[in-house]
Amino acid sequence: MSPSVVVHADWSTDARKRWMARGEWTANGRYRAAAPEPVGDPRTLVDRTRQSTGASKGALLGFDFPIGLPREYATRAGIDDFRAFLVEAGSGTWRDFYSVARQREEISLQRPFYPQRPGNTQQAYLLAGLGVAALDDLRRLCERSYAGRRAACPLFWTLGGQQVGKGAISGWTDVIAPAVRQSAERIALWPFDGPLDVLCGEGRTVLSETYPAEFYAHLGVAFSPSRSGMRSGKRVRSDRAANATALCAWASAAGVELSPELEEQLGDGFGARADGEDRFDAVIGLFGMLNIVLGYRAAGGPPDEPARRVEGWILGQAA
């Protein structure tokens, strides 16, 4: 599977923090990765990417926000096909789906996101409103804690630094749903529409869910251990820069050409600005996706049919 273009978008509810990195298949039979750039208008991103591909080859896009619904919630809400639901969400019976509940009394299966703002809010209210017993009932299989992995924040909880709910709302309403509605036959959602190699081989534009931290181990990315009074990790420029050698070594081994600007930014740790971590993760996401496209890592996928149809999966995560 060699899509003409591979794009990874590191997402945020703040448009200024949305960055994407792009790899293009070249005439010499390898991918060339470019330095990250702002996402721009999210409503035109898929069309812009499609227009840049060749006639016979498609594109693969990865987004750092959830694509899919928790199985327990979907069962209670009567949803058995996420792609079909995505077209309906925001209208008819589901007209309030994206309207974040302000009070606990407003929470329902048709209005599951909560709360609109802090103040007298509890996750217990969300559980009660949706009729589930525990937070894991509001997590997809790929989001649960296992093998030392920390559980993700539940999709429908919209507070805190780790919340993903409002990012999902933005990604679904501005990117995924419009693309599916406008070009249903040319747009594929992985894994809902089939295996990644099959979808890419059909020359379609394939949209997938990514998680840059999932790719760190795949690419040899590591950060200095946290010490008292000192920050560490992707938010620290020196820690980002320290991974340049490993990332350039991966690119060389995989046969991925780096633009001079990207190579310079890797060595510089993507600068001192606050968006350096966003640009870093945009590139990590791209490299992780290319690692899969080139066959060095399996795409992974959900363990059963209900999960494939409703929950989705994080690209590259083992079942």
Side-chain angles (χ1 to χ4, degrees):
M1 51 175 174
S2 300
S4 293
V5 178
V6 179
V7 175
H8 178 258
D10 190 62
W11 210 252
S12 172
T13 54
D14 183 348
R16 296 169 298 179
K17 290 176 65 62
R18 295 177 191 157
W19 287 81
M20 65 181 185
R22 178 187 184 95
E24 293 193 20
W25 186 256
T26 63
N28 61 6
R30 60 195 301 188
Y31 282 102
R32 187 175 196 271
E37 59 185 290
V39 166
D41 186 348
R43 294 167 296 183
T44 65
L45 174 58
V46 175
D47 272 345
R48 280 185 278 131
T49 303
R50 284 176 51 199
Q51 290 167 9
S52 69
T53 64
S56 61
K57 292 190 176 182
L60 174 62
L61 290 84
F63 299 94
D64 183 19
F65 54 73
I67 303 178
L69 294 166
R71 188 184 314 198
E72 183 67 24
Y73 164 79
T75 298
R76 291 174 178 272
I79 300 168
D80 62 4
D81 186 313
F82 175 73
R83 180 177 177 128
F85 168 77
L86 197 60
V87 175
E88 299 177 9
S91 63
T93 302
W94 302 101
R95 63 185 178 278
D96 294 325
F97 180 77
Y98 294 120
S99 179
V100 181
R102 295 162 297 181
Q103 308 294 332
R104 59 186 296 187
E105 295 79 13
E106 296 176 334
I107 303 169
S108 70
L109 293 173
Q110 287 74 40
R111 191 177 181 181
F113 290 96
Y114 171 83
Q116 178 64 258
R117 58 183 61 87
N120 193 31
T121 62
Q122 297 181 28
Q123 290 181 332
Y125 299 161
L126 181 63
L127 299 180
L130 298 181
V132 299
L135 284 178
D136 259 359
D137 292 333
L138 298 180
R139 292 186 176 104
R140 298 173 298 154
L141 292 178
C142 59
E143 296 170 332
R144 296 187 181 184
S145 174
Y146 68 94
R149 183 193 303 270
R150 185 175 61 177
C153 179
L155 170 66
F156 298 127
W157 181 253
T158 57
L159 286 185
Q162 304 239 331
Q163 68 87 11
V164 295
K166 290 184 178 177
I169 291 174
S170 165
W172 295 5
T173 57
D174 291 340
V175 183
I176 306 292
V180 171
R181 291 191 188 105
Q182 293 167 12
S183 303
E185 294 183 358
R186 299 185 62 184
I187 299 296
L189 294 185
W190 179 86
F192 305 95
D193 293 327
L196 187 66
D197 56 348
V198 173
L199 298 178
C200 288
E202 293 172 346
R204 300 163 76 183
T205 299
V206 184
L207 313 184
S208 63
E209 175 184 349
T210 58
Y211 180 43
E214 172 67 32
F215 294 140
Y216 288 167
H218 305 181
L219 302 170
V221 172
F223 300 113
S224 60
S226 297
R227 295 184 293 275
S228 178
M230 297 182 64
R231 300 175 66 199
S232 66
K234 69 174 184 176
R235 292 180 175 84
V236 180
R237 180 182 182 181
S238 59
D239 272 8
R240 297 192 298 263
N243 283 287
T245 299
L247 291 171
C248 289
W250 168 83
S252 177
V256 174
E257 179 185 348
L258 305 182
S259 72
E261 184 181 7
L262 174 55
E263 197 161 358
E264 179 182 353
Q265 290 187 20
L266 283 168
D268 186 49
F270 294 93
R273 290 182 355 199
D275 62 16
E277 64 172 297
D278 307 309
R279 290 182 286 143
F280 175 80
D281 267 351
V283 171
I284 292 297
L286 172 64
F287 285 6
M289 293 171 69
L290 290 174
N291 205 36
I292 292 167
V293 167
L294 292 169
Y296 298 111
R297 177 81 185 189
D304 55 39
E305 186 65 11
R308 184 189 69 79
R309 290 178 59 84
V310 174
E311 293 201 332
W313 202 255
I314 295 169
L315 189 64
Q317 182 174 309

